[in-house]
PDB file of all heavy atoms in Angstrom:
ATOM      1  N   LYS A 238     -13.780  14.072  -8.658  1.00  0.00           N
ATOM      2  CA  LYS A 238     -15.195  14.324  -8.565  1.00  0.00           C
ATOM      3  C   LYS A 238     -15.974  13.068  -9.217  1.00  0.00           C
ATOM      4  O   LYS A 238     -17.111  12.913  -9.057  1.00  0.00           O
ATOM      5  CB  LYS A 238     -15.561  15.628  -9.115  1.00  0.00           C
ATOM      6  CG  LYS A 238     -15.238  15.812 -10.631  1.00  0.00           C
ATOM      7  CD  LYS A 238     -16.010  17.124 -11.209  1.00  0.00           C
ATOM      8  CE  LYS A 238     -15.863  17.081 -12.652  1.00  0.00           C
ATOM      9  NZ  LYS A 238     -16.303  18.289 -13.278  1.00  0.00           N
ATOM     10  N   ARG A 239     -15.384  12.450 -10.225  1.00  0.00           N
ATOM     11  CA  ARG A 239     -16.004  11.286 -10.824  1.00  0.00           C
ATOM     12  C   ARG A 239     -15.988  10.048 -10.033  1.00  0.00           C
ATOM     13  O   ARG A 239     -16.800   9.097 -10.206  1.00  0.00           O
ATOM     14  CB  ARG A 239     -15.348  10.957 -12.096  1.00  0.00           C
ATOM     15  CG  ARG A 239     -16.001  11.646 -13.324  1.00  0.00           C
ATOM     16  CD  ARG A 239     -15.417  11.236 -14.674  1.00  0.00           C
ATOM     17  NE  ARG A 239     -15.898   9.821 -14.982  1.00  0.00           N
ATOM     18  CZ  ARG A 239     -15.394   9.109 -15.957  1.00  0.00           C
ATOM     19  NH1 ARG A 239     -14.210   9.446 -16.619  1.00  0.00           N
ATOM     20  NH2 ARG A 239     -15.830   7.871 -16.322  1.00  0.00           N
ATOM     21  N   LEU A 240     -14.962   9.824  -9.277  1.00  0.00           N
ATOM     22  CA  LEU A 240     -14.820   8.533  -8.517  1.00  0.00           C
ATOM     23  C   LEU A 240     -15.444   8.588  -7.136  1.00  0.00           C
ATOM     24  O   LEU A 240     -15.192   9.601  -6.394  1.00  0.00           O
ATOM     25  CB  LEU A 240     -13.274   8.167  -8.394  1.00  0.00           C
ATOM     26  CG  LEU A 240     -12.446   8.101  -9.725  1.00  0.00           C
ATOM     27  CD1 LEU A 240     -11.060   7.876  -9.319  1.00  0.00           C
ATOM     28  CD2 LEU A 240     -12.991   7.046 -10.610  1.00  0.00           C
ATOM     29  N   PRO A 241     -16.154   7.611  -6.785  1.00  0.00           N
ATOM     30  CA  PRO A 241     -16.851   7.677  -5.454  1.00  0.00           C
ATOM     31  C   PRO A 241     -15.843   7.305  -4.314  1.00  0.00           C
ATOM     32  O   PRO A 241     -15.910   6.207  -3.755  1.00  0.00           O
ATOM     33  CB  PRO A 241     -17.908   6.538  -5.596  1.00  0.00           C
ATOM     34  CG  PRO A 241     -17.413   5.598  -6.621  1.00  0.00           C
ATOM     35  CD  PRO A 241     -16.437   6.379  -7.489  1.00  0.00           C
ATOM     36  N   ILE A 242     -14.951   8.309  -4.044  1.00  0.00           N
ATOM     37  CA  ILE A 242     -13.923   8.158  -3.107  1.00  0.00           C
ATOM     38  C   ILE A 242     -14.494   8.750  -1.745  1.00  0.00           C
ATOM     39  O   ILE A 242     -14.989   9.694  -1.816  1.00  0.00           O
ATOM     40  CB  ILE A 242     -12.650   8.684  -3.634  1.00  0.00           C
ATOM     41  CG1 ILE A 242     -12.036   7.912  -4.799  1.00  0.00           C
ATOM     42  CG2 ILE A 242     -11.656   8.919  -2.534  1.00  0.00           C
ATOM     43  CD1 ILE A 242     -11.605   6.615  -4.461  1.00  0.00           C
ATOM     44  N   ASP A 243     -13.911   8.233  -0.667  1.00  0.00           N
ATOM     45  CA  ASP A 243     -14.332   8.805   0.651  1.00  0.00           C
ATOM     46  C   ASP A 243     -13.161   9.627   1.339  1.00  0.00           C
ATOM     47  O   ASP A 243     -13.280  10.519   2.043  1.00  0.00           O
ATOM     48  CB  ASP A 243     -14.779   7.744   1.531  1.00  0.00           C
ATOM     49  CG  ASP A 243     -15.987   6.963   1.126  1.00  0.00           C
ATOM     50  OD1 ASP A 243     -17.247   7.603   0.987  1.00  0.00           O
ATOM     51  OD2 ASP A 243     -15.836   5.867   0.673  1.00  0.00           O
ATOM     52  N   VAL A 244     -11.941   8.941   1.119  1.00  0.00           N
ATOM     53  CA  VAL A 244     -10.751   9.369   1.990  1.00  0.00           C
ATOM     54  C   VAL A 244      -9.533   9.580   1.144  1.00  0.00           C
ATOM     55  O   VAL A 244      -9.236   8.810   0.075  1.00  0.00           O
ATOM     56  CB  VAL A 244     -10.346   8.224   2.935  1.00  0.00           C
ATOM     57  CG1 VAL A 244      -9.217   8.745   3.773  1.00  0.00           C
ATOM     58  CG2 VAL A 244     -11.440   7.930   3.775  1.00  0.00           C
ATOM     59  N   LEU A 245      -8.737  10.651   1.314  1.00  0.00           N
ATOM     60  CA  LEU A 245      -7.414  10.846   0.663  1.00  0.00           C
ATOM     61  C   LEU A 245      -6.363  10.607   1.711  1.00  0.00           C
ATOM     62  O   LEU A 245      -6.424  11.243   2.902  1.00  0.00           O
ATOM     63  CB  LEU A 245      -7.286  12.217   0.157  1.00  0.00           C
ATOM     64  CG  LEU A 245      -8.200  12.734  -0.866  1.00  0.00           C
ATOM     65  CD1 LEU A 245      -7.898  14.140  -1.405  1.00  0.00           C
ATOM     66  CD2 LEU A 245      -8.337  11.776  -2.076  1.00  0.00           C
ATOM     67  N   LYS A 246      -5.514   9.768   1.475  1.00  0.00           N
ATOM     68  CA  LYS A 246      -4.371   9.453   2.404  1.00  0.00           C
ATOM     69  C   LYS A 246      -3.227  10.161   1.991  1.00  0.00           C
ATOM     70  O   LYS A 246      -2.510   9.848   0.997  1.00  0.00           O
ATOM     71  CB  LYS A 246      -4.230   7.900   2.348  1.00  0.00           C
ATOM     72  CG  LYS A 246      -4.104   7.338   3.741  1.00  0.00           C
ATOM     73  CD  LYS A 246      -4.031   5.960   3.740  1.00  0.00           C
ATOM     74  CE  LYS A 246      -3.300   5.600   5.194  1.00  0.00           C
ATOM     75  NZ  LYS A 246      -3.051   4.148   5.341  1.00  0.00           N
ATOM     76  N   ILE A 247      -2.914  11.142   2.691  1.00  0.00           N
ATOM     77  CA  ILE A 247      -1.640  12.057   2.327  1.00  0.00           C
ATOM     78  C   ILE A 247      -0.391  11.289   2.512  1.00  0.00           C
ATOM     79  O   ILE A 247      -0.088  10.782   3.551  1.00  0.00           O
ATOM     80  CB  ILE A 247      -1.648  13.298   3.334  1.00  0.00           C
ATOM     81  CG1 ILE A 247      -2.896  14.076   3.162  1.00  0.00           C
ATOM     82  CG2 ILE A 247      -0.614  14.141   2.929  1.00  0.00           C
ATOM     83  CD1 ILE A 247      -3.220  15.075   4.251  1.00  0.00           C
ATOM     84  N   ASP A 248       0.246  11.262   1.362  1.00  0.00           N
ATOM     85  CA  ASP A 248       1.579  10.464   1.420  1.00  0.00           C
ATOM     86  C   ASP A 248       2.684  10.882   2.524  1.00  0.00           C
ATOM     87  O   ASP A 248       2.720  12.109   2.701  1.00  0.00           O
ATOM     88  CB  ASP A 248       2.291  10.539   0.021  1.00  0.00           C
ATOM     89  CG  ASP A 248       3.333   9.533  -0.059  1.00  0.00           C
ATOM     90  OD1 ASP A 248       3.033   8.294  -0.174  1.00  0.00           O
ATOM     91  OD2 ASP A 248       4.532   9.914  -0.220  1.00  0.00           O
ATOM     92  N   GLN A 249       3.336   9.966   2.915  1.00  0.00           N
ATOM     93  CA  GLN A 249       4.278  10.165   4.007  1.00  0.00           C
ATOM     94  C   GLN A 249       5.473  11.134   3.590  1.00  0.00           C
ATOM     95  O   GLN A 249       5.935  11.739   4.522  1.00  0.00           O
ATOM     96  CB  GLN A 249       4.855   8.896   4.718  1.00  0.00           C
ATOM     97  CG  GLN A 249       4.957   7.696   3.845  1.00  0.00           C
ATOM     98  CD  GLN A 249       5.507   6.460   4.744  1.00  0.00           C
ATOM     99  OE1 GLN A 249       6.481   6.588   5.279  1.00  0.00           O
ATOM    100  NE2 GLN A 249       4.584   5.586   4.818  1.00  0.00           N
ATOM    101  N   SER A 250       5.854  11.190   2.313  1.00  0.00           N
ATOM    102  CA  SER A 250       6.841  12.035   1.924  1.00  0.00           C
ATOM    103  C   SER A 250       6.485  13.537   2.145  1.00  0.00           C
ATOM    104  O   SER A 250       7.329  14.341   2.577  1.00  0.00           O
ATOM    105  CB  SER A 250       7.035  11.787   0.434  1.00  0.00           C
ATOM    106  OG  SER A 250       5.922  12.100  -0.357  1.00  0.00           O
ATOM    107  N   PHE A 251       5.240  13.963   2.163  1.00  0.00           N
ATOM    108  CA  PHE A 251       4.881  15.176   2.434  1.00  0.00           C
ATOM    109  C   PHE A 251       4.954  15.456   3.961  1.00  0.00           C
ATOM    110  O   PHE A 251       5.377  16.463   4.469  1.00  0.00           O
ATOM    111  CB  PHE A 251       3.447  15.603   1.943  1.00  0.00           C
ATOM    112  CG  PHE A 251       3.219  15.399   0.506  1.00  0.00           C
ATOM    113  CD1 PHE A 251       2.199  14.517  -0.174  1.00  0.00           C
ATOM    114  CD2 PHE A 251       4.126  16.077  -0.512  1.00  0.00           C
ATOM    115  CE1 PHE A 251       2.139  14.399  -1.460  1.00  0.00           C
ATOM    116  CE2 PHE A 251       3.920  15.963  -1.811  1.00  0.00           C
ATOM    117  CZ  PHE A 251       2.971  15.088  -2.299  1.00  0.00           C
ATOM    118  N   VAL A 252       4.428  14.492   4.692  1.00  0.00           N
ATOM    119  CA  VAL A 252       4.304  14.591   6.077  1.00  0.00           C
ATOM    120  C   VAL A 252       5.727  14.608   6.770  1.00  0.00           C
ATOM    121  O   VAL A 252       6.021  15.476   7.612  1.00  0.00           O
ATOM    122  CB  VAL A 252       3.527  13.373   6.636  1.00  0.00           C
ATOM    123  CG1 VAL A 252       3.601  13.448   8.213  1.00  0.00           C
ATOM    124  CG2 VAL A 252       2.115  13.481   6.201  1.00  0.00           C
TER     125      VAL A 252
END
Side-chain angles (χ1 to χ4, degrees):
K238 63 169 193 187
R239 261 191 76 192
L240 303 177
I242 290 290
D243 305 285
V244 183
L245 300 184
K246 226 175 158 185
I247 304 169
D248 190 65
Q249 34 183 298
S250 60
F251 302 123
V252 176

